[in-house]
Amino acid sequence: MTWRPRLADGTAPVLVVLGALLVALAFTGPAYAEPAGYLALLKRAAPLVVLAIGQYFVVVSGGFDLSVGSLVTAEVVIAARLIDGDDANTAWVIALVLGFGVLVGLVNGLVTTKLLVPSFIVTLGMLLVLDGAVFLWTGGSPRGALSPSFRAFGRGGFDVPVLGQVPWSVVILLVVSVAAVLLMRSGTGRMLSAVGDNERAVRLAGGRVDRLRVLAFVLSGLLAALAAILLAGFAGVSAQVGTGLEFRAITAVVLGGVLLGGGRGSVVAAAAGALSLEALFSLLNLLGVAGALESAVQGLIIIAAVAYAARGTGSWRRLRPRRPGPVTS
């Protein structure tokens, strides 16, 4: 008996796309002729991949989280103001930043499940609240500075023979990815995916739908906070550091074949989608394509992926054999 790896639906196409992009980068950019070039790509992509994994938890359970970009900005601004360049403040500020991410996710989840407000509206409102709070606190110009030990998570690393310097962000990314895969293979993870597929069936089976959805938002908030720590390492402090990241995360998840509306998709595919997106933008940059086209590319990817998923679902329904209906007298 031989063991064969099994990939979730939608994973194989995004892995093919990712492989093609990496090969194209190898032929286009001299830096990608060595492992250091790909490690640098992983370092740049790590915040987006972490963010996409968090978004995956919400999307697969049938929701959206539009607040993660503003949350990243708020976390970076808060950290810079509280640390103010002093290494002694790093540890407790990191704990505070992670706790704030959990709190925002908890509020999103509770409002969505207890007040029955669509997640799209709740997280859009949270986006505006966070944006307004950051602007009110900073006046549009963040103050303070991040300490070297705080920034080490995003731009530091350790030397490995042959590979060169391996960034800490890549190690953190691997840990997060493995933990997410293990979670989704557990009973809780399978139930979370089932909530997005058929909420009523989960309720009838005794599943705690509200708790599962709150858990998805909490994980999204926590991973957004972690992405902020990584992003601040090499991007620095800015009031626009998280602008547009929510749409990039959703694009990455969709590119990974995760079904909008929930119920289908895998962590590996979502992570591969984020890495493909970063590789695509790197390739476009090497080819001299204007960075302003990034938004247009994201829009096209979302439209094409959703159209493909809808067409695929429709085809599957047409091909599925119909069950005979009940006999009535």
Side-chain angles (χ1 to χ4, degrees):
M1 183 176 179
T2 58
W3 176 80
R4 293 181 181 178
R6 295 177 59 187
L7 296 176
D9 290 344
T11 304
V14 71
L15 291 180
V16 171
V17 170
L18 177 59
L21 288 169
L22 294 180
V23 171
L25 281 174
F27 283 101
T28 308
Y32 294 96
E34 299 178 358
Y38 292 100
L39 284 175
L41 175 66
L42 279 173
K43 179 181 177 181
R44 291 195 305 274
L48 179 60
V49 177
V50 170
L51 211 56
I53 291 174
Q55 189 71 238
Y56 162 80
F57 289 127
V58 179
V59 172
V60 84
S61 64
F64 283 100
D65 191 349
L66 297 179
S67 66
V68 291
S70 295
L71 180 56
V72 167
T73 300
E75 300 278 28
V76 173
V77 169
I78 290 171
R81 184 70 177 270
L82 296 179
I83 291 177
D84 204 17
D86 188 353
D87 268 326
N89 295 329
T90 299
W92 70 267
V93 170
I94 287 178
L96 180 71
V97 163
L98 295 175
F100 185 65
V102 170
L103 177 63
V104 170
L106 185 62
V107 171
N108 284 338
L110 288 176
V111 174
T112 299
T113 56
K114 302 303 180 187
L115 301 183
L116 301 181
V117 182
S119 61
F120 178 85
I121 301 299
V122 174
T123 55
L124 179 62
M126 182 61 75
L127 178 154
L128 297 173
V129 168
L130 291 173
D131 275 351
V134 167
F135 186 81
L136 184 66
W137 195 32
T138 65
S141 178
R143 283 168 280 180
L146 298 171
S147 61
S149 56
F150 187 94
R151 301 194 70 175
F153 293 103
R155 65 178 180 181
F158 58 95
D159 292 328
V160 173
V162 180
L163 292 178
Q165 189 183 63
V166 176
W168 288 114
S169 57
V170 174
V171 176
I172 294 171
L173 170 61
L174 290 175
V175 171
V176 170
S177 301
V178 170
V181 169
L182 292 177
L183 172 63
M184 292 309 295
R185 288 188 175 183
S186 70
T188 301
R190 294 179 190 279
M191 197 70 82
L192 187 67
S193 182
V195 168
D197 185 38
N198 192 331
E199 177 184 332
R200 186 166 181 269
V202 175
R203 288 189 189 277
L204 292 175
R208 298 178 174 177
V209 173
D210 290 354
R211 285 192 182 186
L212 289 166
R213 285 202 164 132
V214 170
L215 173 64
F217 280 104
V218 168
L219 290 174
S220 179
L222 176 62
L223 292 180
L226 184 58
I229 294 172
L230 299 181
L231 191 59
F234 61 87
V237 183
S238 165
Q240 291 80 35
V241 68
T243 302
L245 280 179
E246 62 277 359
F247 295 112
R248 281 200 177 196
I250 292 174
T251 305
V253 168
V254 171
L255 183 59
V258 180
L259 188 64
L260 291 179
R264 195 188 75 184
S266 71
V267 174
V268 174
L275 192 54
S276 299
L277 201 61
E278 191 64 37
L280 175 62
F281 291 148
S282 298
L283 182 62
L284 293 177
N285 186 43
L286 287 173
L287 294 175
V289 178
L293 286 177
E294 288 186 1
S295 297
V297 171
Q298 290 180 66
L300 289 174
I301 289 174
I302 290 178
I303 293 171
V306 172
Y308 174 78
R311 191 173 179 81
T313 304
S315 300
W316 179 80
R317 285 177 177 170
R318 286 194 296 272
L319 293 173
R320 185 176 60 178
R322 295 184 178 179
R323 295 180 179 178
V327 177
T328 57
S329 57

Coordinates of all heavy atoms in Angstrom, one line a residue, residues 153-247:
F153 N 11.7 41.1 14.3 CA 10.8 40.0 13.8 C 10.5 40.1 12.3 O 10.3 39.1 11.6 CB 9.5 40.0 14.6 CG 9.6 39.7 16.1 CD1 9.6 40.6 17.0 CD2 9.8 38.3 16.4 CE1 9.7 40.3 18.4 CE2 9.9 38.0 17.8 CZ 9.9 39.0 18.7
G154 N 10.5 41.3 11.8 CA 10.1 41.6 10.4 C 11.3 41.6 9.5 O 11.2 41.3 8.3
R155 N 12.5 42.1 10.0 CA 13.6 42.2 9.1 C 14.9 41.5 9.6 O 15.9 41.5 8.8 CB 13.9 43.7 8.9 CG 14.4 44.4 10.2 CD 14.7 45.8 9.9 NE 15.2 46.6 11.1 CZ 15.5 47.9 11.0 NH1 15.4 48.5 9.9 NH2 15.9 48.5 12.1
G156 N 14.9 40.8 10.7 CA 16.0 40.1 11.2 C 16.0 38.7 10.7 O 15.1 38.2 10.0
G157 N 17.1 37.9 11.1 CA 17.1 36.5 10.7 C 18.4 35.8 11.3 O 19.0 36.4 12.1
F158 N 18.6 34.6 10.9 CA 19.8 33.9 11.4 C 20.4 33.2 10.2 O 19.7 32.8 9.2 CB 19.4 32.9 12.5 CG 18.3 31.9 12.0 CD1 18.7 30.6 11.6 CD2 17.0 32.2 12.1 CE1 17.7 29.7 11.2 CE2 16.0 31.3 11.7 CZ 16.4 30.1 11.2
D159 N 21.7 33.0 10.3 CA 22.5 32.4 9.1 C 22.4 30.9 9.1 O 22.5 30.2 10.1 CB 23.9 32.8 9.2 CG 24.1 34.3 9.0 OD1 23.3 34.9 8.2 OD2 25.0 34.9 9.6
V160 N 22.1 30.3 7.9 CA 22.1 28.9 7.7 C 23.0 28.6 6.5 O 22.9 29.3 5.5 CB 20.7 28.4 7.3 CG1 20.6 27.0 6.9 CG2 19.7 28.6 8.5
P161 N 23.9 27.6 6.6 CA 24.8 27.3 5.5 C 24.0 27.0 4.2 O 22.9 26.4 4.2 CB 25.5 26.0 6.0 CG 25.4 26.1 7.5 CD 24.1 26.7 7.8
V162 N 24.5 27.4 3.1 CA 24.0 27.3 1.7 C 22.8 28.3 1.5 O 22.8 29.0 0.5 CB 23.5 25.8 1.5 CG1 22.9 25.7 0.0 CG2 24.6 24.8 1.7
L163 N 21.9 28.3 2.4 CA 20.7 29.2 2.2 C 21.0 30.7 2.5 O 20.4 31.6 1.9 CB 19.5 28.8 3.2 CG 18.9 27.4 2.9 CD1 17.8 27.1 3.9 CD2 18.3 27.4 1.5
G164 N 22.0 30.9 3.4 CA 22.3 32.3 3.8 C 21.4 32.7 5.0 O 21.2 31.8 5.8
Q165 N 21.0 33.9 5.0 CA 20.2 34.4 6.2 C 18.7 34.0 6.0 O 18.1 34.5 5.0 CB 20.3 35.9 6.4 CG 19.7 36.4 7.7 CD 19.8 37.9 7.9 OE1 19.2 38.6 7.1 NE2 20.5 38.3 8.9
V166 N 18.2 33.3 7.0 CA 16.8 32.9 6.9 C 16.0 33.9 7.8 O 16.3 34.0 9.0 CB 16.6 31.5 7.5 CG1 15.1 31.1 7.6 CG2 17.3 30.5 6.6
P167 N 15.1 34.6 7.3 CA 14.4 35.6 8.1 C 13.5 35.0 9.2 O 12.9 33.9 9.0 CB 13.5 36.3 7.0 CG 14.1 36.0 5.7 CD 14.7 34.7 5.9
W168 N 13.4 35.7 10.3 CA 12.5 35.2 11.4 C 11.1 35.2 10.9 O 10.3 34.4 11.3 CB 12.6 36.2 12.6 CG 13.9 36.0 13.3 CD1 14.9 37.0 13.5 CD2 14.4 34.9 14.0 NE1 16.0 36.5 14.2 CE2 15.7 35.2 14.6 CE3 13.9 33.6 14.3 CZ2 16.4 34.3 15.3 CZ3 14.6 32.7 15.0 CH2 15.9 33.1 15.6
S169 N 10.7 36.1 10.0 CA 9.3 36.2 9.5 C 9.0 34.9 8.8 O 7.8 34.4 8.8 CB 9.1 37.4 8.6 OG 10.0 37.3 7.5
V170 N 10.0 34.3 8.1 CA 9.7 33.0 7.4 C 9.4 31.9 8.4 O 8.6 31.0 8.2 CB 10.9 32.7 6.5 CG1 10.7 31.3 5.8 CG2 11.0 33.7 5.4
V171 N 10.2 31.9 9.5 CA 10.0 30.9 10.5 C 8.6 31.0 11.2 O 7.9 30.0 11.4 CB 11.1 31.0 11.6 CG1 10.9 30.0 12.7 CG2 12.5 30.8 11.0
I172 N 8.3 32.3 11.5 CA 7.0 32.5 12.1 C 5.9 32.1 11.1 O 4.8 31.5 11.5 CB 6.8 34.0 12.4 CG1 7.8 34.4 13.6 CG2 5.4 34.4 12.8 CD1 7.9 35.8 13.8
L173 N 6.1 32.4 9.8 CA 5.1 32.0 8.8 C 4.9 30.5 8.8 O 3.8 30.0 8.7 CB 5.5 32.5 7.4 CG 4.8 32.0 6.2 CD1 3.3 32.4 6.3 CD2 5.4 32.5 4.9
L174 N 6.0 29.7 8.8 CA 5.9 28.3 8.8 C 5.1 27.8 10.0 O 4.3 26.9 9.9 CB 7.3 27.7 8.8 CG 8.1 27.8 7.4 CD1 9.5 27.3 7.5 CD2 7.3 27.1 6.3
V175 N 5.4 28.3 11.2 CA 4.8 27.9 12.4 C 3.3 28.2 12.3 O 2.4 27.3 12.7 CB 5.4 28.6 13.7 CG1 4.5 28.4 14.9 CG2 6.8 28.2 13.9
V176 N 2.9 29.4 11.9 CA 1.5 29.7 11.7 C 0.8 28.8 10.7 O -0.3 28.3 11.0 CB 1.3 31.2 11.3 CG1 -0.1 31.5 10.9 CG2 1.8 32.1 12.4
S177 N 1.4 28.5 9.6 CA 0.8 27.6 8.6 C 0.6 26.2 9.1 O -0.5 25.7 8.9 CB 1.7 27.6 7.4 OG 2.0 28.9 6.8
V178 N 1.6 25.7 9.8 CA 1.4 24.3 10.4 C 0.3 24.3 11.4 O -0.5 23.4 11.4 CB 2.8 23.8 11.0 CG1 2.6 22.5 11.7 CG2 3.8 23.6 9.9
A179 N 0.3 25.3 12.3 CA -0.8 25.3 13.3 C -2.1 25.5 12.7 O -3.1 24.8 13.1 CB -0.5 26.5 14.2
A180 N -2.2 26.3 11.6 CA -3.5 26.4 10.9 C -4.0 25.1 10.2 O -5.2 24.7 10.3 CB -3.4 27.5 9.9
V181 N -3.1 24.4 9.6 CA -3.4 23.1 9.0 C -3.9 22.1 10.0 O -4.9 21.4 9.8 CB -2.2 22.6 8.2 CG1 -2.4 21.2 7.7 CG2 -1.9 23.5 7.0
L182 N -3.2 22.1 11.1 CA -3.5 21.1 12.2 C -4.9 21.5 12.8 O -5.7 20.6 13.0 CB -2.5 21.1 13.3 CG -1.1 20.6 12.9 CD1 -0.2 20.7 14.1 CD2 -1.2 19.1 12.5
L183 N -5.2 22.8 12.9 CA -6.5 23.2 13.4 C -7.6 22.8 12.4 O -8.7 22.2 12.9 CB -6.6 24.7 13.6 CG -7.9 25.3 13.9 CD1 -8.4 24.8 15.3 CD2 -7.9 26.8 13.9
M184 N -7.4 23.0 11.1 CA -8.5 22.6 10.2 C -8.6 21.1 10.0 O -9.6 20.7 9.5 CB -8.2 23.3 8.8 CG -8.3 24.8 8.8 SD -9.8 25.4 9.5 CE -11.0 24.9 8.4
R185 N -7.6 20.3 10.4 CA -7.8 18.9 10.4 C -8.4 18.3 11.6 O -8.7 17.1 11.7 CB -6.4 18.2 10.1 CG -5.9 18.5 8.7 CD -4.7 17.6 8.4 NE -4.2 17.8 7.1 CZ -3.2 17.1 6.5 NH1 -2.5 16.3 7.3 NH2 -2.9 17.3 5.3
S186 N -8.6 19.2 12.6 CA -9.2 18.8 13.9 C -10.7 18.8 13.7 O -11.2 19.3 12.7 CB -8.7 19.7 15.0 OG -9.3 21.0 14.9
G187 N -11.4 18.3 14.7 CA -12.9 18.4 14.7 C -13.4 19.8 14.7 O -14.4 20.1 13.9
T188 N -12.7 20.7 15.4 CA -13.2 22.1 15.4 C -13.0 22.7 14.0 O -13.9 23.4 13.5 CB -12.3 22.9 16.4 OG1 -12.5 22.4 17.7 CG2 -12.7 24.4 16.4
G189 N -11.9 22.4 13.3 CA -11.7 23.0 12.0 C -12.7 22.4 11.0 O -13.2 23.2 10.1
R190 N -13.0 21.1 11.0 CA -13.9 20.6 10.1 C -15.3 21.2 10.3 O -16.1 21.4 9.4 CB -14.0 19.0 10.3 CG -12.7 18.4 9.9 CD -12.7 16.9 10.1 NE -11.4 16.2 9.9 CZ -10.9 15.9 8.7 NH1 -11.6 16.2 7.6 NH2 -9.7 15.4 8.7
M191 N -15.7 21.4 11.6 CA -17.0 22.0 11.9 C -17.0 23.4 11.4 O -18.1 23.9 11.0 CB -17.2 21.9 13.5 CG -18.6 22.1 13.9 SD -19.6 20.7 13.5 CE -19.3 19.6 14.8
L192 N -15.9 24.1 11.5 CA -15.8 25.5 11.1 C -16.2 25.6 9.6 O -16.9 26.4 9.1 CB -14.5 26.1 11.3 CG -14.3 27.6 11.1 CD1 -15.1 28.4 12.0 CD2 -12.8 28.0 11.2
S193 N -15.6 24.7 8.8 CA -15.8 24.6 7.4 C -17.3 24.2 7.1 O -17.9 24.7 6.2 CB -14.8 23.6 6.7 OG -15.0 23.6 5.3
A194 N -17.8 23.3 7.9 CA -19.2 22.8 7.7 C -20.2 24.0 8.0 O -21.2 24.0 7.4 CB -19.5 21.7 8.7
V195 N -19.8 24.9 8.9 CA -20.7 26.0 9.2 C -20.9 26.9 7.9 O -22.0 27.3 7.6 CB -20.1 26.9 10.3 CG1 -20.9 28.3 10.4 CG2 -20.2 26.2 11.6
G196 N -19.8 27.1 7.1 CA -19.9 27.8 5.9 C -20.7 27.1 4.8 O -21.3 27.7 3.9
D197 N -20.7 25.7 4.9 CA -21.4 24.9 3.9 C -22.9 24.8 4.2 O -23.7 25.0 3.3 CB -20.7 23.6 3.8 CG -21.3 22.7 2.7 OD1 -21.6 23.3 1.6 OD2 -21.4 21.5 2.9
N198 N -23.2 24.5 5.4 CA -24.6 24.2 5.8 C -24.8 24.5 7.2 O -24.6 23.6 8.1 CB -25.0 22.8 5.4 CG -26.5 22.6 5.5 OD1 -27.2 23.3 6.2 ND2 -27.1 21.7 4.7
E199 N -25.1 25.7 7.6 CA -25.2 26.2 9.0 C -26.3 25.4 9.7 O -26.1 25.0 10.8 CB -25.5 27.7 9.0 CG -25.7 28.2 10.4 CD -26.0 29.7 10.4 OE1 -25.6 30.4 9.5 OE2 -26.7 30.1 11.3
R200 N -27.4 25.2 9.0 CA -28.6 24.5 9.6 C -28.2 23.1 10.0 O -28.6 22.6 11.1 CB -29.8 24.6 8.7 CG -31.0 24.0 9.3 CD -32.2 24.4 8.4 NE -33.5 23.9 9.0 CZ -34.0 22.8 8.8 NH1 -33.4 21.9 7.9 NH2 -35.1 22.4 9.4
A201 N -27.5 22.4 9.1 CA -27.1 21.0 9.4 C -26.2 21.0 10.7 O -26.3 20.0 11.5 CB -26.4 20.4 8.2
V202 N -25.3 21.9 10.8 CA -24.4 22.0 11.9 C -25.2 22.2 13.2 O -24.9 21.6 14.2 CB -23.3 23.1 11.8 CG1 -22.5 23.2 13.0 CG2 -22.4 22.7 10.6
R203 N -26.2 23.1 13.2 CA -27.0 23.3 14.3 C -27.8 22.1 14.7 O -27.9 21.7 15.9 CB -28.0 24.5 14.1 CG -27.4 25.9 14.0 CD -28.4 26.9 13.9 NE -27.9 28.2 13.6 CZ -27.3 29.0 14.6 NH1 -27.3 28.6 15.8 NH2 -26.8 30.2 14.2
L204 N -28.4 21.4 13.7 CA -29.1 20.2 14.0 C -28.2 19.1 14.6 O -28.7 18.2 15.4 CB -29.8 19.7 12.8 CG -30.9 20.6 12.2 CD1 -31.5 20.1 10.9 CD2 -32.1 20.7 13.3
A205 N -26.9 19.1 14.2 CA -26.0 18.1 14.7 C -25.4 18.5 16.1 O -24.6 17.7 16.6 CB -24.9 17.9 13.7
G206 N -25.9 19.6 16.6 CA -25.4 20.0 18.0 C -24.2 20.9 18.0 O -23.6 21.2 19.0
G207 N -23.8 21.3 16.8 CA -22.6 22.2 16.7 C -22.9 23.6 17.2 O -24.1 24.1 17.0
R208 N -22.0 24.3 17.8 CA -22.2 25.6 18.3 C -21.7 26.6 17.3 O -20.5 27.0 17.3 CB -21.4 25.8 19.6 CG -21.9 24.9 20.7 CD -21.1 25.0 22.0 NE -21.7 24.2 23.1 CZ -21.2 24.1 24.3 NH1 -20.0 24.8 24.6 NH2 -21.8 23.4 25.2
V209 N -22.6 27.0 16.4 CA -22.3 27.8 15.2 C -21.8 29.2 15.7 O -20.8 29.6 15.1 CB -23.6 28.0 14.4 CG1 -23.3 28.9 13.2 CG2 -24.0 26.6 13.8
D210 N -22.4 29.8 16.6 CA -22.0 31.1 17.0 C -20.6 31.1 17.6 O -19.8 32.0 17.2 CB -23.0 31.7 18.1 CG -24.3 32.1 17.5 OD1 -24.4 32.0 16.2 OD2 -25.2 32.4 18.2
R211 N -20.3 30.2 18.4 CA -18.9 30.1 19.0 C -17.9 29.9 17.9 O -16.8 30.4 17.9 CB -18.8 28.9 20.0 CG -19.5 29.3 21.3 CD -19.2 28.2 22.3 NE -19.8 28.5 23.6 CZ -19.6 27.8 24.7 NH1 -18.7 26.8 24.7 NH2 -20.2 28.1 25.8
L212 N -18.2 29.0 16.9 CA -17.3 28.8 15.8 C -17.0 30.0 15.0 O -15.9 30.3 14.6 CB -17.8 27.6 14.9 CG -17.8 26.2 15.6 CD1 -18.6 25.3 14.7 CD2 -16.4 25.7 15.7
R213 N -18.1 30.8 14.7 CA -17.9 32.0 13.9 C -17.1 33.1 14.7 O -16.3 33.8 14.2 CB -19.2 32.6 13.5 CG -19.8 31.7 12.4 CD -20.9 32.5 11.6 NE -21.1 31.9 10.3 CZ -22.4 31.7 9.9 NH1 -23.4 32.0 10.6 NH2 -22.5 31.1 8.7
V214 N -17.4 33.2 16.0 CA -16.6 34.1 16.9 C -15.1 33.7 16.9 O -14.2 34.5 16.8 CB -17.2 34.1 18.3 CG1 -16.2 34.9 19.2 CG2 -18.5 34.8 18.3
L215 N -14.9 32.4 17.0 CA -13.5 31.9 16.9 C -12.8 32.3 15.6 O -11.6 32.7 15.6 CB -13.5 30.3 17.0 CG -12.2 29.7 16.9 CD1 -11.2 30.1 18.0 CD2 -12.3 28.1 16.8
A216 N -13.5 32.2 14.5 CA -12.9 32.6 13.2 C -12.5 34.1 13.2 O -11.4 34.4 12.8 CB -13.9 32.3 12.1
F217 N -13.4 34.9 13.7 CA -13.0 36.4 13.8 C -11.9 36.6 14.8 O -11.0 37.5 14.5 CB -14.3 37.2 14.2 CG -15.2 37.4 13.0 CD1 -16.4 36.7 12.9 CD2 -14.9 38.3 12.0 CE1 -17.3 36.9 11.9 CE2 -15.8 38.5 11.0 CZ -17.0 37.8 10.9
V218 N -11.9 35.9 15.9 CA -10.8 36.1 16.8 C -9.4 35.7 16.2 O -8.4 36.4 16.4 CB -11.1 35.3 18.1 CG1 -9.8 35.2 19.0 CG2 -12.2 35.9 18.9
L219 N -9.4 34.6 15.5 CA -8.2 34.1 14.9 C -7.8 35.1 13.8 O -6.6 35.4 13.6 CB -8.4 32.8 14.2 CG -8.5 31.6 15.2 CD1 -8.9 30.3 14.5 CD2 -7.3 31.4 16.0
S220 N -8.7 35.7 13.1 CA -8.4 36.7 12.0 C -7.8 37.9 12.7 O -6.8 38.5 12.2 CB -9.7 37.1 11.3 OG -9.4 38.1 10.3
G221 N -8.4 38.4 13.8 CA -7.8 39.6 14.5 C -6.4 39.3 15.0 O -5.5 40.1 14.9
L222 N -6.2 38.1 15.6 CA -4.9 37.7 16.2 C -3.9 37.7 15.1 O -2.7 38.2 15.3 CB -5.0 36.4 16.9 CG -3.7 35.8 17.5 CD1 -3.2 36.7 18.5 CD2 -4.0 34.4 18.0
L223 N -4.2 37.1 14.0 CA -3.2 37.0 12.9 C -3.0 38.3 12.2 O -1.9 38.6 11.7 CB -3.7 35.9 11.9 CG -3.7 34.5 12.4 CD1 -4.1 33.5 11.3 CD2 -2.3 34.1 12.9
A224 N -4.0 39.2 12.2 CA -3.8 40.6 11.7 C -2.8 41.3 12.6 O -1.9 42.1 12.1 CB -5.1 41.3 11.6
A225 N -2.9 41.1 13.9 CA -1.9 41.7 14.8 C -0.5 41.2 14.6 O 0.5 41.9 14.6 CB -2.3 41.5 16.2
L226 N -0.4 39.9 14.3 CA 0.9 39.3 14.0 C 1.5 39.8 12.7 O 2.7 40.1 12.6 CB 0.8 37.7 14.0 CG 2.1 36.9 13.8 CD1 3.1 37.2 14.9 CD2 1.7 35.4 13.8
A227 N 0.6 39.9 11.7 CA 1.0 40.5 10.4 C 1.5 41.9 10.6 O 2.5 42.4 9.9 CB -0.1 40.5 9.4
A228 N 0.9 42.7 11.5 CA 1.3 44.1 11.8 C 2.7 44.1 12.3 O 3.6 44.9 12.0 CB 0.4 44.7 12.7
I229 N 3.0 43.2 13.2 CA 4.4 43.1 13.8 C 5.4 42.8 12.7 O 6.5 43.4 12.7 CB 4.4 42.0 14.9 CG1 3.5 42.4 16.1 CG2 5.8 41.8 15.4 CD1 3.3 41.4 17.2
L230 N 5.1 41.8 11.9 CA 6.0 41.5 10.8 C 6.2 42.6 9.8 O 7.3 43.0 9.4 CB 5.5 40.2 10.1 CG 5.4 39.0 10.9 CD1 4.9 37.8 10.0 CD2 6.7 38.6 11.6
L231 N 5.1 43.3 9.4 CA 5.1 44.3 8.4 C 5.9 45.6 9.0 O 6.6 46.2 8.2 CB 3.7 44.7 8.1 CG 3.5 45.6 6.8 CD1 4.1 45.0 5.6 CD2 2.0 45.9 6.6
A232 N 5.7 45.9 10.2 CA 6.4 47.0 10.8 C 7.9 46.8 10.8 O 8.6 47.8 10.8 CB 5.9 47.2 12.3
G233 N 8.3 45.6 10.8 CA 9.8 45.3 10.8 C 10.5 45.9 9.6 O 11.6 46.5 9.8
F234 N 9.9 45.8 8.4 CA 10.6 46.3 7.3 C 9.9 47.5 6.6 O 10.5 48.2 5.8 CB 10.9 45.2 6.2 CG 9.7 44.6 5.7 CD1 9.1 45.1 4.5 CD2 9.2 43.4 6.2 CE1 8.0 44.5 4.0 CE2 8.1 42.8 5.6 CZ 7.4 43.4 4.5
A235 N 8.7 47.8 6.9 CA 7.9 48.9 6.3 C 8.0 50.1 7.2 O 7.8 51.2 6.7 CB 6.5 48.5 6.1
G236 N 8.3 50.0 8.5 CA 8.4 51.1 9.4 C 7.0 51.6 9.8 O 6.0 51.0 9.6
V237 N 7.0 52.8 10.4 CA 5.7 53.4 10.9 C 5.1 54.4 9.9 O 5.8 55.3 9.4 CB 6.0 54.1 12.2 CG1 4.7 54.7 12.8 CG2 6.7 53.2 13.2
S238 N 3.8 54.1 9.6 CA 3.1 55.0 8.7 C 1.6 54.9 8.9 O 1.2 53.8 9.4 CB 3.4 54.5 7.2 OG 2.5 55.1 6.3
A239 N 0.9 55.9 8.7 CA -0.5 55.9 8.9 C -1.2 55.2 7.7 O -2.5 55.0 7.7 CB -1.1 57.3 9.0
Q240 N -0.5 54.8 6.7 CA -1.1 54.1 5.5 C -0.5 52.7 5.4 O -0.6 52.0 4.3 CB -0.8 54.8 4.2 CG -1.5 56.2 4.1 CD -0.9 57.3 4.9 OE1 0.4 57.3 5.0 NE2 -1.7 58.2 5.4
V241 N 0.2 52.2 6.4 CA 0.9 50.9 6.3 C 0.0 49.7 6.0 O 0.4 48.8 5.3 CB 1.7 50.6 7.5 CG1 0.8 50.3 8.7 CG2 2.7 49.5 7.3
G242 N -1.3 49.8 6.4 CA -2.2 48.7 6.2 C -3.2 48.9 5.1 O -4.1 48.1 4.9
T243 N -3.1 50.1 4.5 CA -4.1 50.5 3.5 C -4.3 49.4 2.4 O -3.3 49.1 1.7 CB -3.8 51.8 2.9 OG1 -3.7 52.8 3.9 CG2 -4.9 52.3 1.8
G244 N -5.5 48.9 2.1 CA -5.7 48.0 1.0 C -5.4 46.6 1.3 O -5.6 45.7 0.5
L245 N -4.8 46.3 2.5 CA -4.4 44.9 2.8 C -5.6 44.0 2.9 O -5.5 42.8 2.7 CB -3.6 44.8 4.1 CG -2.1 45.2 4.0 CD1 -1.4 45.1 5.3 CD2 -1.4 44.3 3.0
E246 N -6.8 44.5 3.4 CA -8.0 43.6 3.5 C -8.4 43.1 2.1 O -8.7 41.9 2.0 CB -9.1 44.4 4.1 CG -9.7 45.6 3.3 CD -8.9 46.9 3.6 OE1 -7.9 46.8 4.4 OE2 -9.2 47.9 3.0
F247 N -8.2 43.9 1.1 CA -8.6 43.4 -0.3 C -7.5 42.5 -0.8 O -7.9 41.6 -1.6 CB -8.8 44.6 -1.2 CG -10.0 45.5 -0.8 CD1 -9.8 46.7 -0.3 CD2 -11.3 45.0 -0.9 CE1 -10.9 47.5 0.1 CE2 -12.4 45.7 -0.5 CZ -12.2 47.0 0.0

